[in-house]
Coordinates of all heavy atoms in Angstrom, one line a residue:
L135 N 6.3 -23.0 -20.2 CA 5.3 -22.0 -20.8 C 6.0 -20.6 -21.0 O 7.0 -20.3 -20.3 CB 4.2 -21.8 -19.8 CG 3.4 -23.0 -19.3 CD1 2.4 -22.6 -18.3 CD2 2.8 -23.7 -20.5
S136 N 5.5 -19.9 -22.0 CA 5.9 -18.5 -22.2 C 5.4 -17.6 -21.1 O 4.5 -18.0 -20.3 CB 5.4 -18.0 -23.5 OG 4.0 -17.9 -23.5
G137 N 5.9 -16.4 -21.0 CA 5.4 -15.4 -20.0 C 3.9 -15.2 -20.1 O 3.2 -15.1 -19.1
G138 N 3.4 -15.1 -21.3 CA 2.0 -14.8 -21.5 C 1.2 -16.0 -21.0 O 0.1 -15.8 -20.4
M139 N 1.7 -17.2 -21.3 CA 0.9 -18.4 -20.9 C 0.9 -18.5 -19.3 O 0.0 -18.9 -18.7 CB 1.5 -19.7 -21.5 CG 1.3 -19.7 -23.0 SD 2.4 -20.8 -23.8 CE 1.6 -22.4 -23.8
K140 N 2.1 -18.2 -18.7 CA 2.1 -18.2 -17.3 C 1.1 -17.2 -16.7 O 0.4 -17.5 -15.7 CB 3.5 -17.8 -16.8 CG 4.5 -18.9 -16.9 CD 5.9 -18.5 -16.3 CE 7.0 -19.3 -17.0 NZ 8.3 -18.7 -16.9
M141 N 1.0 -16.0 -17.3 CA 0.0 -15.1 -16.8 C -1.4 -15.6 -17.0 O -2.2 -15.4 -16.1 CB 0.3 -13.7 -17.5 CG -0.6 -12.6 -17.0 SD -0.8 -12.5 -15.2 CE 0.8 -11.8 -14.8
R142 N -1.6 -16.3 -18.1 CA -3.0 -16.9 -18.3 C -3.3 -17.9 -17.2 O -4.4 -18.0 -16.7 CB -3.0 -17.6 -19.7 CG -3.1 -16.6 -20.8 CD -3.3 -17.3 -22.1 NE -3.4 -16.4 -23.2 CZ -2.3 -16.1 -24.0 NH1 -1.2 -16.7 -23.8 NH2 -2.5 -15.3 -25.0
V143 N -2.3 -18.7 -16.8 CA -2.5 -19.7 -15.7 C -2.8 -18.9 -14.4 O -3.7 -19.3 -13.7 CB -1.2 -20.6 -15.5 CG1 -1.5 -21.6 -14.3 CG2 -0.9 -21.4 -16.8
S144 N -2.1 -17.9 -14.2 CA -2.3 -17.1 -13.0 C -3.7 -16.5 -13.0 O -4.4 -16.5 -11.9 CB -1.2 -16.0 -12.9 OG -1.4 -15.2 -11.8
I145 N -4.2 -16.0 -14.1 CA -5.6 -15.5 -14.2 C -6.6 -16.6 -14.0 O -7.6 -16.5 -13.3 CB -5.8 -14.8 -15.6 CG1 -4.9 -13.5 -15.6 CG2 -7.2 -14.5 -15.8 CD1 -4.8 -12.8 -17.0
A146 N -6.3 -17.8 -14.6 CA -7.2 -18.9 -14.5 C -7.3 -19.3 -13.0 O -8.4 -19.6 -12.5 CB -6.7 -20.1 -15.3
R147 N -6.1 -19.3 -12.3 CA -6.1 -19.7 -10.9 C -7.0 -18.7 -10.1 O -7.7 -19.1 -9.2 CB -4.7 -19.7 -10.4 CG -4.5 -20.1 -8.9 CD -3.1 -20.1 -8.5 NE -2.5 -18.8 -8.8 CZ -1.1 -18.6 -8.7 NH1 -0.3 -19.6 -8.4 NH2 -0.7 -17.4 -9.0
A148 N -6.9 -17.5 -10.4 CA -7.8 -16.5 -9.7 C -9.2 -16.7 -10.0 O -10.1 -16.6 -9.1 CB -7.3 -15.1 -10.1
L149 N -9.6 -17.0 -11.3 CA -11.0 -17.2 -11.7 C -11.6 -18.5 -11.1 O -12.8 -18.5 -11.0 CB -11.1 -17.2 -13.2 CG -10.7 -15.9 -14.0 CD1 -10.8 -16.2 -15.5 CD2 -11.6 -14.8 -13.6
A150 N -10.8 -19.5 -10.9 CA -11.3 -20.8 -10.5 C -12.2 -20.7 -9.3 O -13.1 -21.5 -9.1 CB -10.1 -21.8 -10.3
A151 N -11.8 -19.8 -8.4 CA -12.6 -19.7 -7.1 C -13.9 -18.9 -7.3 O -14.6 -18.6 -6.4 CB -11.8 -19.1 -6.0
K152 N -14.2 -18.5 -8.6 CA -15.4 -17.7 -8.9 C -15.5 -16.4 -8.1 O -16.5 -16.2 -7.4 CB -16.6 -18.5 -8.7 CG -16.8 -19.7 -9.7 CD -18.3 -20.1 -9.8 CE -18.5 -21.0 -11.0 NZ -18.1 -22.4 -10.6
P153 N -14.4 -15.6 -8.1 CA -14.5 -14.4 -7.3 C -15.5 -13.4 -7.8 O -15.8 -13.4 -9.0 CB -13.0 -13.8 -7.5 CG -12.6 -14.3 -8.8 CD -13.2 -15.7 -9.0
K154 N -16.0 -12.6 -7.0 CA -16.9 -11.5 -7.4 C -16.1 -10.3 -7.8 O -16.5 -9.4 -8.5 CB -17.9 -11.2 -6.3 CG -18.8 -12.3 -6.0 CD -20.0 -11.8 -5.2 CE -21.0 -12.9 -4.9 NZ -20.9 -13.2 -3.4
L155 N -14.9 -10.2 -7.2 CA -14.0 -9.0 -7.4 C -12.6 -9.5 -7.7 O -12.0 -10.3 -6.9 CB -14.0 -8.2 -6.1 CG -13.0 -7.0 -6.1 CD1 -13.3 -6.0 -7.2 CD2 -12.9 -6.4 -4.7
L156 N -12.1 -9.1 -8.9 CA -10.8 -9.5 -9.3 C -9.9 -8.3 -9.2 O -10.1 -7.3 -9.8 CB -10.8 -10.1 -10.7 CG -9.5 -10.5 -11.4 CD1 -8.9 -11.7 -10.6 CD2 -9.7 -11.0 -12.8
L157 N -8.8 -8.5 -8.5 CA -7.8 -7.4 -8.3 C -6.5 -7.7 -9.1 O -6.0 -8.9 -9.0 CB -7.5 -7.2 -6.8 CG -8.7 -7.0 -5.9 CD1 -8.2 -7.0 -4.4 CD2 -9.4 -5.7 -6.2
M158 N -6.0 -6.8 -9.8 CA -4.8 -7.1 -10.6 C -3.8 -5.9 -10.5 O -4.1 -4.8 -10.8 CB -5.2 -7.3 -12.1 CG -6.3 -8.3 -12.3 SD -6.7 -8.5 -14.1 CE -5.7 -10.0 -14.5
D159 N -2.6 -6.3 -10.1 CA -1.5 -5.2 -10.0 C -0.6 -5.3 -11.2 O 0.3 -6.2 -11.2 CB -0.8 -5.5 -8.7 CG 0.0 -4.2 -8.3 OD1 0.2 -3.3 -9.1 OD2 0.6 -4.2 -7.1
E160 N -0.7 -4.4 -12.1 CA 0.1 -4.3 -13.3 C 0.3 -5.7 -13.9 O 1.4 -6.2 -14.2 CB 1.5 -3.8 -12.9 CG 1.5 -2.4 -12.3 CD 2.0 -1.3 -13.2 OE1 2.1 -1.6 -14.4 OE2 2.2 -0.2 -12.7
P161 N -0.8 -6.4 -14.2 CA -0.8 -7.8 -14.6 C 0.0 -8.1 -15.9 O 0.6 -9.1 -16.1 CB -2.2 -8.2 -14.8 CG -2.9 -6.9 -15.1 CD -2.2 -5.9 -14.3
F162 N 0.0 -7.1 -16.8 CA 0.6 -7.3 -18.1 C 1.9 -6.6 -18.3 O 2.5 -6.6 -19.4 CB -0.3 -7.0 -19.2 CG -1.7 -7.6 -19.0 CD1 -2.9 -6.9 -19.2 CD2 -1.8 -8.9 -18.6 CE1 -4.1 -7.4 -19.0 CE2 -3.1 -9.5 -18.4 CZ -4.2 -8.7 -18.6
A163 N 2.4 -5.9 -17.3 CA 3.6 -5.0 -17.4 C 4.8 -5.7 -17.9 O 5.7 -5.1 -18.5 CB 3.8 -4.2 -16.1
A164 N 5.0 -7.0 -17.5 CA 6.2 -7.7 -17.8 C 6.2 -8.4 -19.1 O 7.1 -9.0 -19.5 CB 6.5 -8.7 -16.7
L165 N 5.1 -8.2 -19.9 CA 4.9 -9.0 -21.1 C 5.3 -8.1 -22.3 O 5.3 -6.9 -22.3 CB 3.5 -9.4 -21.3 CG 2.9 -10.3 -20.2 CD1 1.4 -10.5 -20.4 CD2 3.7 -11.6 -20.0

Side-chain angles (χ1 to χ4, degrees):
L135 305 179
S136 68
M139 290 159 93
K140 282 183 205 157
M141 184 45 72
R142 288 187 180 94
V143 178
S144 178
I145 292 170
R147 181 178 53 190
L149 296 177
K152 294 202 170 76
K154 295 195 180 108
L155 173 64
L156 179 63
L157 306 172
M158 308 178 97
D159 194 350
E160 303 255 12
F162 311 134
L165 305 175

